[in-house]
Amino acid sequence: MIDVHTHILPGMDDGSKSVTESIEMLKELKRQGVNEVVLSSHYYAEKETPESFFARREKAYSELKAAIENEEDMPKLRLGAEICYYVGVSILENKRKFCIEGTSLFLLELPLWRKLDRGIIEEVKRLSMKQEVIVLLAHVDRYIDFNSASIFEELAEAGVLIQLNTGFIEKHNKRIIKKINKKGWPHFL
């Protein structure tokens, strides 16, 4: 099993605060059957440049790799990022450097603070249709309305993939889960 959405790199974002905490998180994931972990720290374009993000990520990754060198039975680590949507994300340079290592999956978080309007939808479709990356929308369960899921159907038709948090399934009834599965979602859980 691969966990494609974690905040385990120490000191990068609202996830792990230390190498020790990161190691404990990795051990718990391994205990749960996870063999690979994507280290998908948040990237906020309004807070830093891609270069500073990559430098910080590399430093945190190097620290974590050195710390787990002597640990037994740890999950394989892959670098990635969770890009917070911003106007202009579709023309971001070096998109591939943000993708999940070894893939062209571009983990994108839609804005939780603003309604999904036509401008956001069109920009995500442009990002997807350029075929440089495959857009994977992070935790869609935080902003989807299953009574008007046409926005996500439109995005899925444009090649956008959907990730739901496992907690969503625990909280909702079987009727909603069946409705989602009929649409072929989620692509990632």
Side-chain angles (χ1 to χ4, degrees), residues 2-188:
I2 301 171
D3 192 330
V4 298
H5 185 170
T6 70
H7 298 287
I8 290 178
L9 279 179
M12 282 293 293
D13 53 26
D14 57 348
S16 172
K17 302 301 178 217
S18 68
V19 171
T20 302
E21 185 177 0
S22 297
I23 291 170
E24 291 306 312
M25 292 168 84
L26 289 169
K27 286 179 179 178
E28 178 59 24
L29 285 171
K30 186 64 176 182
R31 189 189 70 70
Q32 294 176 21
V34 175
N35 299 315
E36 288 187 42
V37 175
V38 176
L39 308 168
S40 54
S41 300
H42 286 286
Y43 170 70
Y44 298 102
E46 73 277 1
K47 292 184 180 179
E48 69 182 322
T49 65
E51 294 75 22
S52 66
F53 171 79
F54 295 135
R56 281 189 327 109
R57 184 178 73 172
E58 186 55 41
K59 182 179 182 292
Y61 180 62
S62 294
E63 289 173 8
L64 182 57
K65 288 283 284 187
I68 66 170
E69 199 169 89
N70 295 321
E71 296 283 339
E72 290 185 29
D73 202 30
M74 295 297 272
K76 177 184 174 184
L77 305 180
R78 288 184 190 225
L79 286 174
E82 180 182 7
I83 298 87
C84 183
Y85 172 87
Y86 63 95
V87 174
V89 69
S90 64
I91 58 171
L92 172 67
E93 292 187 19
N94 297 319
K95 287 179 205 59
R96 298 286 300 202
K97 287 183 77 173
F98 286 96
C99 288
I100 295 172
E101 184 179 347
T103 76
S104 55
L105 291 171
F106 186 88
L107 185 62
L108 180 66
E109 177 179 42
L110 293 180
L112 300 172
W113 60 93
R114 119 181 209 205
K115 189 174 189 266
L116 296 180
D117 60 33
R118 182 60 28 206
I120 293 170
I121 302 309
E122 291 304 320
E123 179 133 31
V124 172
K125 285 170 59 177
R126 278 192 304 277
L127 178 62
S128 177
M129 291 178 174
K130 288 184 176 182
Q131 299 181 344
E132 297 171 60
V133 297
I134 299 169
V135 177
L136 172 57
L137 291 182
H139 44 68
V140 169
D141 45 292
R142 292 186 184 176
Y143 30 75
I144 194 168
D145 174 4
F146 290 105
N147 296 316
S148 61
S150 61
I151 289 172
F152 294 97
E153 291 170 357
E154 181 180 344
L155 289 170
E157 287 173 13
V160 174
L161 301 179
I162 296 195
Q163 179 246 318
L164 296 176
N165 288 334
T166 55
F168 173 82
I169 291 174
E170 296 168 357
K171 292 177 189 173
H172 289 83
N173 66 37
K174 289 180 184 177
R175 184 183 59 77
I176 291 175
I177 303 305
K178 284 181 182 179
K179 185 175 181 180
I180 295 168
N181 283 330
K182 279 185 179 179
K183 296 180 183 302
W185 304 341
H187 301 101
F188 289 84

